[in-house]
Amino acid sequence: MPVYDLNFVDVADVNALYSWGASAQVDQTWAWPNISQITFTNAATMSVLDDDTTFDDDDGFSWSPHGNADSDPQVLASDLVTSSGTYAAGTVTEPESTATFQDSLGNTYELVAIGVNEDANAIIGFAFVGAQPPFDTTLSVVSASTADLPIVAFSSLEPPICFAAGTLIDTPRDAVAVETLSPGDLVDTLDHGPQPVRLVASRRMDFVADGPRHQPILIRAGALGPGSPARDLCVSPQHRILMEDADDVPVLLAAKALTGRPGIRVMRGLRQVVYVHVMFSQHEILSANGALSESFYPGPQAVRSVTAETRAELFDIYPMLRAEFDRPAIPPARPLMPVQRAKRIANSLHAPRRAG
């Protein structure tokens, strides 16, 4: 069953005022129509397990007119630590209401308020639909709803998974910039030796226009271990790096889970980047700037993050994806570690000492 990692803002990382100037209770759905100003100060990650592709209110409950009555309820994929308490994996979670904000330049942003255990007035945090607003900036509330009905595509809550242009990928002939690869080119892989590229796709992101949500992660040379990476590496926040745990068990984890380690940070000052996907006939482990990292993994949320043209090409390469669009039909090259767990053990992880 797919796991979706959402950018999550805890209620403790939100400051808001009612229209009459008093501090607002952002954890109460009924309060939102009276909120006039709001500021977000930080974001974390929550992992949601779901058998369909939308984040629904009342998902899986046949008595409700909302959500998908034919699916199972959405639940947390891993323990979630919040200011409201710690919620165990398996806890039912869902969006309870929506709100729209505007900054001083007229840019608008939308969020969904997230609750647990079917309690619309016990909001634990928020996720943004599309662009994430700037942190530490006062925003004006344009509209807010207490309606018990949000249905949001997970793809609108998920970031892209890719290398930044300029990343050097090892090939049998030399290390080459990822954006220069073409279908048919051979690339060295950890598990299967030289493999032909099936598809290369790119996407330019402007963080001034689109907001900072997808700003890349910078991994300084040697930050993962001696010689890993050999030179600075820049990847999207959800792009997975191959690491080993304290027992030398290999796992793939999102780069953003490592930002608490020295030499690894979000590139907050970057104004734009070109992200590049590289796809093979199977999920592969590549050497990128000397660090072991994944190729594009065609899981459900990743497939929905690409353009319709690229998605059509993906279906040609992986015909089973068309029939299994809501479930990962391609096995991952290594176990995928949820972001929250990876963050808790980040300092005990190390670059592989031996082949995967």
Side-chain angles (χ1 to χ4, degrees), residues 55-78:
F55 194 35
D56 308 338
D57 190 19
D58 296 341
D59 190 34
F61 294 100
S62 59
W63 48 262
S64 173
H66 314 305
N68 183 354
D70 296 325
S71 70
D72 293 326
Q74 300 138 164
V75 298
L76 295 177
S78 58

Side-chain angles (χ1 to χ4, degrees), residues 162-168 178 207 214-220 229 231-237 239 241 255 265 267 270 272-276 288-289:
C162 26
F163 297 105
T167 301
L168 296 180
V178 64
F207 303 117
H214 305 315
Q215 284 179 318
I217 304 298
L218 174 64
I219 304 175
R220 292 290 189 189
R231 55 182 289 178
D232 291 356
L233 175 65
C234 181
V235 295
S236 64
H239 195 98
I241 307 297
R265 64 174 178 84
M267 299 181 72
L270 196 66
Q272 63 178 222
V273 71
V274 174
Y275 281 137
V276 184
N289 286 6

Side-chain angles (χ1 to χ4, degrees), residues 118-309:
E118 283 292 288
D119 189 347
N121 279 313
I123 302 303
I124 63 169
F126 311 93
F128 296 103
V129 182
Q132 177 176 294
F135 290 137
D136 301 313
T137 299
T138 299
L139 306 170
S140 300
V141 178
V142 176
S143 63
S145 171
T146 60
D148 198 33
L149 52 77
I151 298 177
V152 183
F154 277 113
S155 59
S156 68
L157 304 169
E158 286 261 331
I161 303 174
C162 26
F163 297 105
T167 301
L168 296 180
I169 305 297
D170 282 0
T171 76
R173 55 189 172 89
D174 202 356
V176 302
V178 64
E179 67 273 20
T180 68
L181 290 170
S182 300
D185 289 350
L186 292 178
V187 167
D188 291 333
T189 71
L190 182 62
D191 299 324
H192 303 106
Q195 290 293 307
V197 173
R198 298 297 304 272
L199 178 65
V200 179
S202 63
R203 174 183 179 186
R204 180 178 297 276
M205 301 205 70
D206 185 323
F207 303 117
V208 176
D210 299 331
R213 180 180 177 194
H214 305 315
Q215 284 179 318
I217 304 298
L218 174 64
I219 304 175
R220 292 290 189 189
L224 303 175
S228 183
R231 55 182 289 178
D232 291 356
L233 175 65
C234 181
V235 295
S236 64
Q238 286 284 53
H239 195 98
R240 299 181 186 95
I241 307 297
L242 182 66
M243 299 289 280
E244 291 181 349
D245 64 16
D247 296 320
D248 294 336
V249 175
V251 293
L252 283 165
L253 53 96
K256 67 179 183 179
L258 298 171
T259 53
R261 291 170 59 121
I264 304 177
R265 64 174 178 84
V266 180
M267 299 181 72
R268 299 196 186 280
L270 196 66
R271 298 175 67 87
Q272 63 178 222
V273 71
V274 174
Y275 281 137
V276 184
H277 306 285
V278 182
M279 286 151 269
F280 299 84
S281 295
Q282 57 273 316
H283 193 213
E284 298 284 9
I285 304 295
L286 320 176
S287 176
N289 286 6
L292 293 175
S293 178
E294 69 172 341
S295 67
F296 181 85
Y297 176 56
Q301 62 268 46
V303 172
R304 285 174 173 77
S305 74
V306 299
T307 64
E309 180 181 6

Side-chain angles (χ1 to χ4, degrees), residues 1-4 6 46-52 54-56 59 61 72-80 87-94 115-117 154:
M1 189 180 297
V3 174
Y4 301 92
L6 313 185
M46 68 178 292
S47 299
V48 178
L49 189 68
D50 197 7
D51 61 354
D52 58 37
T54 53
F55 194 35
D56 308 338
D59 190 34
F61 294 100
D72 293 326
Q74 300 138 164
V75 298
L76 295 177
S78 58
D79 294 352
L80 179 64
Y87 300 95
T91 301
V92 172
T93 183
E94 57 188 22
V116 292
N117 296 324
F154 277 113

